[in-house]
Amino acid sequence: MFCRRQHTTSGASMLLLFFMTTSMIMNLHLPVLVHSFVPTTKTFMKNNPLHATTDDDDKNENNNNNKPVWFYTSSKNGYSMPSDIDGNTNNNNDIGYNAFLDKSHFFHRLQSKSNTNVDPEFNEDGYADMQRNKRSVFKRFFKRMIRKFRKPNTEVGTLILVRHGESQWNANKTFTGWADPDLTDQGTREVEHAARLLMEGGYKIDVVFTSRLKRAIRSSWIILQELDKVYLPVFKSWRLNERMYGALTGLSKKETAEQLGHEVVQEWRGSLTSRPPALTVRDEHWPGRDRKYADLTIDQIPMTESLLDCMERTCPLWEKKIKYELQRGRNVLVVAHANTLRGLVKTIDNIGDEEIQEVAIPTGIPIVYKFDASMQSIPPTSEERTVSQIHMNGLFLEKPGLLKEALKREKEWAKAVPGYDSTMGRNKRPMAPLERSLYKLNAVRELGDWAEEFVDHDAELEDDGSDGNMGKPMQLIKTKLEEAIEAPAGIVEDVIALAKEKQAELVYDPDTNGENHVKQTQPVYDPLANAVPTMYSQPCVTSMPSSALVEQLGPTPIRRDSVIVIIRHGKTEHNKLGLFTGWEDAPLAKDGIVEAKEAGKLLKLHGFEFDVVYTSWLSRAIETAWYVMDSMDALWLPIIKTWRLNERMYGELTGLSKKMVRQRHGDEQFMAWRRGYDVKPPHVSSFSPNYPGNDPRYQKYLKDVRYSFRESLIRTIEQGQPTLQRKLPKTESLKDCMDRTIPYFVERIQAEAVDQGKRVLISSSENAIRGLLMHLCDIPEEQITGLEIPNGLPLIFDVKSKCVKLLDDGTGRDPLEVYNFGKAAPYLFRPCENEDGSPDEECDIHFDATPGTISADDMAMLESITKKPDWVVANSAK
């Protein structure tokens, strides 16, 4: 155990401060001279108990640690890109420069070399990427100097243990083990209650660990939703799975005891070392055929376990991850199962083999552990509304048993008290004043549209008592279209021409999903006006599998080839109200949740499976990914969250109504901010609530952006002690957004997943997806602003055919008539061809855009079908 010594100001520290001041004034990075002051880091890396880990900046170097230093050059986007033997960068210089990312050659040349390969188990769900053991020499030295002036923080983090809510098999007293039943309604309520207890106690969570079983994963999701922290890193480990009950899995506890004897069954359940009969590989509950355990060896998959086996399985996770996070001062939430949590408790409190059998873990009650500097659990003190259990130092936030009794009473009250369920249900998130006002305005307009149907326009107008116009209603000027509609018959062509002219004046607003159109009164440059696309605009639509329509044909074949499925998040209230959202964390609206669920069902019907999911740090994208996976019964999938897939940062426009911005700044400026490729909106200040630097998720978890001297100085003055602050965007153009999105896709998603044959799901926002499609489909920069991305629609990028496909939803509708892909649709939907140049056989649905003709015989048949019988006509006349 290393002890922190008392530091004093040294000459090196004063010299560093001098360099900092100079760099801030000159807006430069620290010079390479700093390198001479830094001791070697090899000893530190060898002594570190964890594996050498990586971050976004260092990933390429991990995979190529034998290459010379010149193999890496700094790119314009903050990522190191491989170069050829002459040192020429292979990346396209057209990607552009992003001002808020690291642009220094020295940063990448001072990277320390990794001497260890990352263990795949250690990197479950990208855990190794979150750690920062391997930093550049510059960063190590700089942080070491900062610590000299900061007050030492030796406080150990808090550990919170929560057993998942009641599952369907818990409710009917079935041996569960590694089987994967979901939560019951009562189990959901139990976990919601646990989250509210944590909120009441003021507990903060930094990282979450859970098992790969649905009941635990869903419980952790419910807790994070209730706490409004779905962006937190969640790591799913098989070591937290419930005890494997072997051949007892799926059997009724009561019936098994009656058949085999209560003493035998109780011995299996309560003894520390007794194992139930083992499974066989032919058993339906053998985990080896479940692909969520495809990364485990045969020896790691248990056929049966004793209680001691289960507890020992959790030890490596405690030693390598959970304990490490606590030592770094992070608060850890573990959502798992009764026996794995007992294993952790046994290790933490050093409970004996006999005593641990007297320890029980209830559902829905958080257990809180505090530690001293030596990682010894602190015994509980007498605190109000808390209780402890024998042999344990953890505190229950509520007396066990009260919740179950309350839920039983609630069922009785729900029958007797009208509206009780809606009162106790989960509340909607609060709205901001502007959002609430616009929401009510839209509601009133919808009511007015409905009332319009009942207005008799030919009725005599009454005097409403107002002065002016002799008490008559106001005389409004009619539009040309209204005059044409009211004109005598015979000029239908004029009405149609005016309607087309009106339609041409409208510009589709993707953020309102077609509910509002914005009139374009100022001429705006349209790069597609004279462009002639070199590819077809008809998308490739894959037909619904026959097995999805006829059950007797068996299950739908699973798609095994590497594929990239991109989906824009479902609608939010901001989208529906026409607000600039950007990095503001607006959750999904109700219809947005429906869109995400329907997308997951459609993907499952077409036989899609995924190996990894990438999403942003914004709740609407994370929630979309979650509901898609939930519909596909794949909640165990690893989710990699990155800020580089965030929506474009709209600066001071964030949260404002688009109509408001248009009225204040004019149409030309409004369109430039929204549709200009390299035009940035006004930036926010360092203390604005919309500045990402004030958001805890970016303060704690963002590691792949350089430090900002200006922001660090501001925070140092504000907090009264040296503080490091990274350089986060205060505004972005569309080009800036793509400059961070495309390199991440190339260097992380493509290199680590697609090129490895994995099936990838990407859930993100419109402008980030534009960047991905711009790269994948070779869409020119001047055309990309004309591309619209519908909400909740899966876009299938076929890696072999190099084209975008859509999925048949069974309605027979032409996707181009249902969804608006904008003027750049011809660049998105190119012909799908196999490697030999032949047409892709999956594109077997075609929609004829040209009007057809109907023969006289067919017309006569249609008339006979649609013609009403004579007796119906006679009765109608009466």
Side-chain angles (χ1 to χ4, degrees), residues 22-38:
T22 305
S23 300
M24 284 187 288
I25 295 174
M26 300 179 64
N27 196 24
L28 298 172
H29 293 289
L30 290 180
V32 190
L33 181 61
V34 174
H35 184 271
S36 61
F37 293 96
V38 184

Side-chain angles (χ1 to χ4, degrees), residues 742-762:
I742 296 176
Y744 182 85
F745 174 83
V746 172
E747 300 185 18
R748 296 300 303 275
I749 300 177
Q750 181 173 321
E752 298 175 11
V754 179
D755 292 348
Q756 308 304 318
K758 293 183 179 181
R759 297 159 293 182
V760 177
L761 172 66
I762 301 175

Side-chain angles (χ1 to χ4, degrees), residues 554-577:
T556 303
I558 301 301
R559 295 171 178 255
R560 304 294 181 186
D561 294 335
S562 178
V563 68
I564 304 170
V565 176
I566 303 173
I567 181 170
R568 182 188 176 191
H569 61 76
K571 286 191 285 291
T572 67
E573 294 296 341
H574 276 50
N575 295 144
K576 295 166 64 177
L577 297 176

Side-chain angles (χ1 to χ4, degrees), residues 271-273 305-313 346 353:
S271 174
L272 189 67
T273 57
E305 284 182 318
S306 66
L307 182 57
L308 184 61
D309 295 332
C310 175
M311 293 177 176
E312 290 179 346
R313 170 159 49 88
K346 185 178 187 299
D353 293 349

Side-chain angles (χ1 to χ4, degrees), residues 729-743:
K730 295 183 176 181
T731 183
E732 283 183 315
S733 64
L734 179 59
K735 177 177 178 293
D736 294 331
C737 178
M738 295 181 177
D739 282 351
R740 58 173 160 84
T741 303
I742 296 176

Side-chain angles (χ1 to χ4, degrees), residues 836-867:
D836 59 359
S838 60
D840 191 326
E841 58 276 7
E842 280 195 336
C843 304
D844 50 5
I845 294 183
H846 302 281
F847 299 92
D848 190 1
T850 59
T853 57
I854 302 178
S855 64
D857 294 338
D858 292 339
M859 181 62 70
M861 181 177 294
L862 289 174
E863 289 178 353
S864 65
I865 294 174
T866 58
K867 182 180 179 181

Side-chain angles (χ1 to χ4, degrees), residues 537-545 559 602 606 608 793-796 803-819 821 829-832 840-848:
S537 60
Q538 180 64 46
C540 166
V541 181
T542 302
S543 63
M544 182 78 70
R559 295 171 178 255
L602 183 62
H606 281 264
F608 280 88
L793 178 68
L795 302 177
I796 317 301
C803 66
V804 173
K805 301 178 180 179
L806 301 178
L807 301 179
D808 174 27
D809 60 3
T811 62
R813 301 175 300 176
D814 185 349
L816 293 184
E817 295 181 0
V818 179
Y819 303 104
F821 294 94
F829 300 115
R830 64 180 63 202
C832 293
D840 191 326
E841 58 276 7
E842 280 195 336
C843 304
D844 50 5
I845 294 183
H846 302 281
F847 299 92
D848 190 1

